[in-house]
């Protein structure tokens, strides 16, 4: 076979490969095919919004992969892109149903915020406010982490944390409150109010959702001017003996006098924890 014949064959192969690539690309971007796969995704288990930046918030698992894929894949609609995101969508849904998504694991939730912080920050300005938040985080958050707690998220002057042991949660809270005694910025000394509740919230990605999360947040709000509030489920697991060893006492909160306990089940008993 002559060199000329070989070159012609190679050119023909390249032309066929190029034509095939163009056909695949055109097929991948056909609006009717993309629309069909998107409709199919709505019928699949999981979040059909996978691939949207708001849908894939949070680190770990399929959501992290989806964020990376969203950056690497073209912004133009494509059937292959939708198929890939559909696979991630189903993976995450299966992960949650298998128990690794939470919902059947008992944890202790902690919500905190600083009393009077918002009013002080308005007058203090952004510089002092940021300095205060940094100093609070520097002294308080290690007390949570050192006791095997995990900071789920920060919310302005407060945070949400999760523990697998209510005793560690209580110990962390009181250690953090003691650490705050040495913090002062522009005349403001932070006082932390806290809500502690044990339940089985639903874990979604890096966050926790559900009634038990709302209860813990409402307990914190019921803390008024700097109290540590705890629910009966947490207190019962902690036990009276352990509470005494920690030098703490629990005083029942009378719901009749508490206008800040809205959103908490009527039959939930709440207590104020104090140092003896």
């Amino acid at each position: 076979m002559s060199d000329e014949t070989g070159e012609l064959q190679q050119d023909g192969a390249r032309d066929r490969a190029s034509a095939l690539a163009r056909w695949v690309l055109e097929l991948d971007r056909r609006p009717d095919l993309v629309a069909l796969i998107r409709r199919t995704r709505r019928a699949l288990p999981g979040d059909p919004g996978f691939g949207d930046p708001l849908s894939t918030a949070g680190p770990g698992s399929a959501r992290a992969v989806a964020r990376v894929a969203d950056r690497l894949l073209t912004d133009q609609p494509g059937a292959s892109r939708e198929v890939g995101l559909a696979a991630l969508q189903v993976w995450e849904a299966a992960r949650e149903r298998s128990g690794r998504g939470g919902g059947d694991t008992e944890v202790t939730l902690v919500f905190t915020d600083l009393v009077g912080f918002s009013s002080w920050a308005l007058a203090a300005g952004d510089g002092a406010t940021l300095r205060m938040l940094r100093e609070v985080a520097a002294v308080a958050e290690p007390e949570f982490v050192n006791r095997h707690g995990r900071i789920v998220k920060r919310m302005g002057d407060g945070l949400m944390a999760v523990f697998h042991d209510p005793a560690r949660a209580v110990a962390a809270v009181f250690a953090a409150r003691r650490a705050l005694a040495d913090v002062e910025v522009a005349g403001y000394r932070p006082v932390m109010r806290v809500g502690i509740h044990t339940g089985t919230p639903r874990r979604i990605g890096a966050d926790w959702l559900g009634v038990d999360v709302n209860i813990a947040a409402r307990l914190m709000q019921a803390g008024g001017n700097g109290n540590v509030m705890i629910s009966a489920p947490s207190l019962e697991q902690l036990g009276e003996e352990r509470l005494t060893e920690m030098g703490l006492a629990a005083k029942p909160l009378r719901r009749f006098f508490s206008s800040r306990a809205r959103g908490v089940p009527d039959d939930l008993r709440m207590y104020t924890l104090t140092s003896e």
Side-chain angles (χ1 to χ4, degrees):
M1 181 171 48
S2 67
D3 293 341
E4 183 176 352
T5 302
E7 290 177 0
L8 289 174
Q9 290 179 343
Q10 290 177 1
D11 289 342
R14 282 195 294 267
D15 289 342
R16 288 192 296 273
S18 179
L20 178 61
R22 286 195 300 270
W23 179 82
V24 170
L25 183 60
E26 291 173 359
L27 179 66
D28 186 61
R29 294 183 178 176
R30 280 180 53 181
D32 57 338
L33 183 58
V34 173
L36 174 63
I37 297 174
R38 284 180 174 172
R39 287 196 299 271
T40 303
R41 285 184 62 189
R42 287 196 288 271
L44 292 174
D47 177 12
F50 241 89
D52 182 278
L54 295 179
S55 172
T56 57
S61 72
R63 296 183 178 271
V65 178
R67 287 199 307 280
V68 173
D70 192 50
R71 289 196 296 268
L72 295 179
L73 295 173
T74 176
D75 291 334
Q76 296 186 15
S80 58
R81 179 180 188 275
E82 295 298 325
V83 169
L85 292 174
L88 292 171
Q89 169 187 332
V90 174
W91 173 25
E92 180 72 358
R95 177 182 178 274
E96 290 177 5
R97 283 201 304 272
S98 70
R100 289 189 295 164
D104 57 359
T105 301
E106 190 170 73
V107 296
T108 297
L109 302 156
V110 176
F111 275 81
T112 77
D113 76 359
L114 303 178
V115 177
F117 177 84
S118 296
S119 299
W120 168 81
L122 284 174
D126 291 345
T129 298
L130 289 174
R131 180 183 168 195
M132 170 60 71
L133 292 176
R134 290 190 180 107
E135 291 196 20
V136 168
V139 301
E141 292 187 13
E143 303 295 349
F144 287 77
V145 176
N146 292 341
R147 291 167 178 81
H148 305 289
R150 185 169 68 84
I151 307 297
V152 177
K153 54 188 171 184
R154 299 170 183 83
M155 301 166 290
D157 59 312
L159 59 80
M160 173 186 173
V162 63
F163 293 79
H164 289 284
D165 177 7
R168 292 183 184 275
V170 171
V173 163
F174 278 89
R177 281 163 58 92
R178 288 192 296 271
L180 289 179
D182 296 327
V183 177
E184 179 180 357
V185 175
Y188 177 74
R189 290 184 176 273
V191 176
M192 181 184 287
R193 63 175 178 172
V194 183
I196 304 170
H197 174 63
T198 300
T200 54
R202 182 74 173 170
R203 185 171 183 176
I204 305 295
D207 205 352
W208 298 79
L209 303 173
V211 174
D212 289 310
V213 175
N214 295 336
I215 290 174
R218 295 296 187 179
L219 280 170
M220 181 269 292
Q221 293 174 355
N225 291 324
N227 292 319
V228 177
M229 309 302 301
I230 189 170
S231 67
S234 295
L235 189 61
E236 289 167 1
Q237 285 198 28
L238 189 60
E240 185 175 344
E241 183 177 347
R242 185 73 178 96
L243 194 67
T244 302
E245 291 175 358
M246 300 173 73
L248 302 174
K251 179 182 178 181
L253 178 69
R254 296 190 178 185
R255 293 287 296 275
F256 180 79
F257 296 103
S258 177
S259 61
R260 298 191 178 191
R262 296 173 183 172
V264 175
D266 291 336
D267 59 349
L268 180 72
R269 289 172 291 139
M270 300 180 292
Y271 300 82
T272 304
L273 288 182
T274 58
S275 301
E276 292 183 323

